[in-house]
Amino acid sequence: MKLRRFTLPYILWLIVFIVIPLLLVVLYAFTISDNHDILSFKFNLDNLKRFFSSPVYIQVLLRSIKLAFISTLICLIIGYPIAYIISRESPKKRNTMILMFVIPMWMNFLLRTYAWLTILGRNGIINIFISKLGFEALNFLYNDNAVLLGMVYNFLPFMVLPIFSVLSKIEMNLIEAAEDLGADKTITFIKVIFPLSLSGVMTGTSMVFIPAVSTFIISSLLGGNKSSLIGNLIEQQFMYTGDWHFGSVMSIILMVFILISIAVTSKFDKQKEGEGGGLW
Amino acid sequence: MKRNSLIVLLMVLLISIFIVGCGEDKPKVNVYNWGDYIDIDVLDQFEEEYGIKVVYDTFATNEDLYVKILQGGSNYDVVFPSDYMIERMIKEELLVKINKNNVANIKKVGDQFLNHSYDPNNEYSVPYMWGTVGIIYNTAMLDDYPESWADLWDEKYKGQIIMYNSQRDALAVGLRKLGYSLNSRDERELEEAKVELIKQKPLVYAYMGDEIKDAMISGEAAIAVVYSGDAVYMKWQNPDLEYIIPSEGTNLWFDAMVIPNNAQNKDAAEKFIDFMTRPDIAAKNAEYIGYSSPIPEAVALLDKEVQSDPVAYPSDEDIKNTEVFNDVIDVIHIYDRIWTEIMSAE
């Protein structure tokens, strides 16, 4: 009973900052109105139909998913070895390395993304170097590759940290046992270490995929708004067109999509009851 | 337990200090303006002269402001929307009429800046700043210079053009290029503009908002669509830049001060608007942000160089072929669809 009392603030927090806003988005998604007076909202599914009847919106959604998928994959390919290497170090060294990894995240996300403009721009550091060598300056910015780079750069720590935390908790004697039983390094990794780290991989995947699929800042700053992602369309509805109803529909569709993809990944995640690091 | 109650006590104390601190008796005026659109010093000066505290807050887009006012609750006394948004807010009865007896300085506003279609008798608004939309280009980076909107479709500028990332402004470029009104409500005309803008896409370096300033100053690209006020600032920073009003004509815009329906202190609001329209204050703001003041006496207080700058203060001849935006809320879904299709085109 005593514990109950202390959960009250959290429940209040949940209601005020998560449940009510979510319900509002749902309310906006399935209604129309001339103004923002909630009492005048009328139930209506036109906005939902509008999304699915126009190929543009579906295309943008698919593009966002594609880019988010690729960036998640790249994060996994780069992030897993990093997490593995760090987890094999002595605890002291390990903490320093993780700290080095996390420190850039103390800086504002926007600022870090902005910094890439000065690195990749036509008059950026790389191009100054290239033209010093006598070559023509290159266009790095304002294309899909720049957007992918921005996503991988910004979200890589979200892949590394959960994998690292799972890897560093694997009991050494399990690995020793595998070696005693005649497994070489590769087999140990494939049969013991990797399966045990799967929960971290799943968490990392979700934590990279979700912000990547919904970002609008990265595609705006590094992609030059040349091809919208679903996040840009949602931003457009809220900030410029002022159609909160349609913006909410798109948010809900994106949310449903993310839920499905998490449900699918967690299906594969047999270890989710095990060591920490699972998202659910 | 003891320690817990101590923390609670401390928090209560802290919160009450906060509440007491805010509860001064001084009258207040809540001002809601564009970001970076004022010389902050004038707020202190207002507080000193009138004994009214200014609570200052900023917004980024007209639509942002509109929703805030519509939902109420925020209780701003003076806000600074643009022309078409003022038209919409008047239509939707979100504004109150300004008592011109209390805003004597409205007489100082130049005639050509009053009585535009968005507020025919200036019953609701007093102009704050005005300007045009045009093309800025870098003379050091180009051999021949653009003169018209159509030049933004010229292959030789491929990868050098920055377009404005805004529905109305970008579509206006396409519409004027085709010789249509930038207030077109005709779906066929808008479709044509869409085709043009999609055709232009391969030549465009990027679609940007405020970042245009940095990009043009640093020479990232050679050509951009910008507001005249921003052009003034960019030219300060990089003398190679030149600004023109394209030959097909362009958008003439105003940002003006209005009082929302739910203002708490209309009296202070009118005092504030009157103060902002006073020539010395208007000159201070114009000098600080680089935008063009609609008050001739204020302009006369600026540097001679600025006064004769055709970017900030174009001749009547230069702005002959301009249009002020009208509100298109009734066909906004067409604008929105067309803009989405342009921005999503591969």
Side-chain angles (χ1 to χ4, degrees):
Chain A
M1 265 329 267
K2 198 150 185 218
L3 210 70
R4 261 268 172 75
R5 206 145 43 107
F6 288 108
T7 61
L8 196 66
Y10 298 103
I11 291 171
L12 267 176
W13 176 276
L14 266 172
I15 291 171
V16 174
F17 292 108
I18 298 175
V19 178
I20 293 178
L22 204 60
L23 286 178
L24 274 175
V25 174
V26 173
L27 179 72
Y28 267 98
F30 298 111
T31 52
I32 48 163
S33 73
D34 294 332
N35 49 39
H36 286 262
D37 180 7
I38 285 189
L39 293 176
S40 74
F41 283 12
K42 283 193 268 313
F43 177 77
N44 190 304
L45 293 177
D46 283 358
N47 280 326
L48 199 66
K49 283 184 210 139
R50 177 175 159 200
F51 186 90
F52 287 107
S53 61
S54 163
V56 175
Y57 301 115
I58 310 276
Q59 266 170 30
V60 172
L61 182 64
L62 291 178
R63 239 183 70 83
S64 311
I65 292 167
K66 191 182 97 189
L67 282 181
F69 180 78
I70 297 172
S71 66
T72 310
L73 202 66
I74 297 173
C75 279
L76 182 61
I77 292 168
I78 300 175
Y80 197 97
I82 296 174
Y84 185 77
I85 292 164
I86 298 177
S87 72
R88 295 299 97 176
E89 294 292 340
S90 68
K92 207 173 162 189
K93 232 175 164 179
R94 208 196 266 176
N95 287 342
T96 323
M97 285 168 95
I98 279 294
L99 190 69
M100 301 285 266
F101 219 79
V102 173
I103 281 177
M105 290 173 71
W106 295 356
M107 235 178 298
N108 183 287
F109 165 78
L110 207 59
L111 208 65
R112 278 182 288 138
T113 311
Y114 235 98
W116 279 105
L117 295 179
T118 57
I119 297 172
L120 299 177
R122 280 209 184 121
N123 299 317
I125 296 163
I126 296 179
N127 268 326
I128 287 173
F129 190 68
I130 288 177
S131 44
K132 278 260 157 67
L133 293 176
F135 296 104
E136 187 95 335
L138 294 169
N139 271 338
F140 296 110
L141 276 179
Y142 308 127
N143 53 43
D144 280 358
N145 292 334
V147 175
L148 277 176
L149 177 81
M151 287 178 175
V152 171
Y153 167 72
N154 276 307
F155 304 137
L156 188 60
F158 298 118
M159 184 64 87
V160 172
L161 291 178
I163 296 178
F164 163 77
S165 89
V166 172
L167 280 177
S168 60
K169 280 181 194 135
I170 292 176
E171 299 270 353
M172 270 319 273
N173 49 24
L174 287 176
I175 295 164
E176 279 158 14
E179 278 164 4
D180 287 349
L181 291 170
D184 60 24
K185 284 229 150 79
T186 326
I187 300 283
T188 313
F189 180 78
I190 296 172
K191 294 243 161 166
V192 180
I193 298 175
F194 188 72
L196 283 176
S197 68
L198 218 51
S199 69
V201 171
M202 290 306 158
T203 308
T205 307
S206 308
M207 284 177 72
V208 172
F209 184 79
I210 295 169
V213 79
S214 56
T215 184
F216 60 93
I217 287 295
I218 294 175
S219 53
S220 179
L221 282 180
L222 300 178
N225 289 305
K226 270 168 143 177
S227 28
S228 300
L229 299 185
I230 190 80
N232 298 95
L233 293 191
I234 295 172
E235 186 209 9
Q236 184 190 326
Q237 293 306 317
F238 280 95
M239 298 291 287
Y240 302 98
T241 311
D243 189 347
W244 288 25
H245 298 283
F246 190 49
S248 300
V249 163
M250 288 197 273
S251 310
I252 294 277
I253 290 168
L254 184 60
M255 240 186 300
V256 168
F257 182 82
I258 289 171
L259 271 176
I260 293 172
S261 58
I262 290 177
V264 171
T265 41
S266 62
K267 260 249 149 62
F268 291 109
D269 181 9
K270 297 192 187 83
Q271 290 287 321
K272 67 177 169 178
E273 299 296 325
E275 293 288 318
L279 197 64
W280 298 91
Chain B
M1 201 54 209
K2 193 136 195 203
R3 189 186 282 171
N4 268 345
S5 45
L6 198 71
I7 290 171
V8 171
L9 193 76
L10 265 174
M11 279 171 80
V12 169
L13 258 173
L14 259 175
I15 292 166
S16 48
I17 287 170
F18 240 96
I19 293 167
V20 171
C22 299
E24 280 177 67
D25 271 348
K26 230 179 186 181
K28 277 189 309 189
V29 60
N30 282 296
V31 178
Y32 200 35
N33 192 0
W34 296 86
D36 208 9
Y37 209 38
I38 198 170
D39 180 352
I40 287 291
D41 286 346
V42 307
L43 299 180
D44 292 334
Q45 202 177 332
F46 178 76
E47 202 169 329
E48 244 166 61
E49 287 184 25
Y50 289 82
I52 298 171
K53 194 174 157 53
V54 181
V55 182
Y56 191 76
D57 201 359
T58 62
F59 60 89
T61 70
N62 274 305
E63 285 67 21
D64 238 11
L65 157 104
Y66 170 71
V67 171
K68 266 261 175 71
I69 300 298
L70 200 60
Q71 287 179 324
S74 33
N75 296 331
Y76 293 109
D77 298 308
V78 182
V79 295
F80 291 62
S82 306
D83 33 50
Y84 73 95
M85 189 52 74
I86 294 173
E87 183 186 335
R88 185 188 306 175
M89 290 168 96
I90 294 173
K91 219 183 302 167
E92 298 186 5
E93 298 174 354
L94 293 171
L95 306 178
V96 287
K97 286 188 185 174
I98 293 170
N99 183 345
K100 285 183 193 165
N101 295 327
N102 296 336
V103 187
N105 284 328
I106 195 170
K107 289 192 218 83
K108 313 230 163 176
V109 177
D111 286 339
Q112 69 270 43
F113 306 114
L114 291 171
N115 308 331
H116 280 278
S117 62
Y118 64 88
D119 181 11
N121 294 311
N122 279 85
E123 287 178 308
Y124 296 92
S125 66
V126 179
Y128 175 61
M129 295 284 165
W130 69 281
T132 55
V133 177
I135 298 173
I136 197 163
Y137 57 87
N138 191 321
T139 51
M141 289 169 75
L142 296 177
D143 295 326
D144 43 354
Y145 309 142
E147 285 163 3
S148 62
W149 292 127
D151 285 341
L152 299 183
W153 272 258
D154 194 327
E155 281 284 338
K156 68 177 176 235
Y157 298 135
K158 186 171 186 240
Q160 294 291 352
I161 302 166
I162 301 177
M163 287 292 283
Y164 211 84
N165 177 33
S166 136
Q167 207 163 305
R168 279 309 290 274
D169 295 313
L171 274 169
V173 173
L175 287 166
R176 288 308 294 222
K177 182 202 176 219
L178 293 164
Y180 299 137
S181 160
L182 45 75
N183 288 311
S184 177
R185 287 157 197 275
D186 184 339
E187 191 157 2
R188 197 182 40 85
E189 289 179 6
L190 288 163
E191 284 287 338
E192 279 181 55
K194 177 187 93 182
V195 172
E196 285 298 316
L197 288 166
I198 290 178
K199 223 194 307 174
Q200 185 207 20
K201 234 180 151 175
L203 309 182
V204 175
Y205 182 52
Y207 297 83
M208 294 181 176
D210 266 346
E211 312 97 274
I212 290 182
K213 294 189 220 173
D214 285 337
M216 287 308 292
I217 291 165
S218 68
E220 274 282 307
I223 301 172
V225 177
V226 292
Y227 290 114
S228 52
D230 289 335
V232 171
Y233 169 80
M234 287 184 247
K235 285 181 66 175
W236 286 343
Q237 305 289 323
N238 183 347
D240 286 338
L241 296 176
E242 210 50 71
Y243 175 87
I244 54 134
I245 294 173
S247 55
E248 296 99 331
T250 188
N251 169 226
L252 181 70
W253 56 262
F254 296 93
D255 291 326
M257 295 171 278
V258 299
I259 305 176
N261 250 342
N262 52 4
Q264 298 291 296
N265 196 346
K266 189 179 180 236
D267 184 48
E270 283 171 341
K271 280 188 181 130
F272 185 80
I273 292 174
D274 193 44
F275 176 77
M276 294 292 278
T277 316
R278 211 170 79 191
D280 61 318
I281 301 301
K284 238 181 174 177
N285 285 325
E287 195 183 350
Y288 183 82
I289 61 178
Y291 276 58
S292 323
S293 171
I295 298 156
E297 278 182 49
V299 178
L301 295 173
L302 299 174
D303 285 346
K304 285 275 169 302
E305 219 172 290
V306 178
Q307 286 182 43
S308 58
D309 181 359
V311 178
Y313 298 100
S315 67
D316 292 349
E317 182 63 26
D318 289 337
I319 57 169
K320 205 178 53 187
N321 193 12
T322 55
E323 279 180 284
V324 180
F325 273 142
N326 289 131
D327 189 32
V328 291
I329 188 78
D330 47 319
V331 286
I332 189 110
H333 60 281
I334 302 177
Y335 271 82
D336 182 62
R337 176 180 61 78
I338 278 175
W339 181 238
T340 305
E341 284 171 14
I342 294 166
M343 295 316 278
S344 313
E346 293 285 329

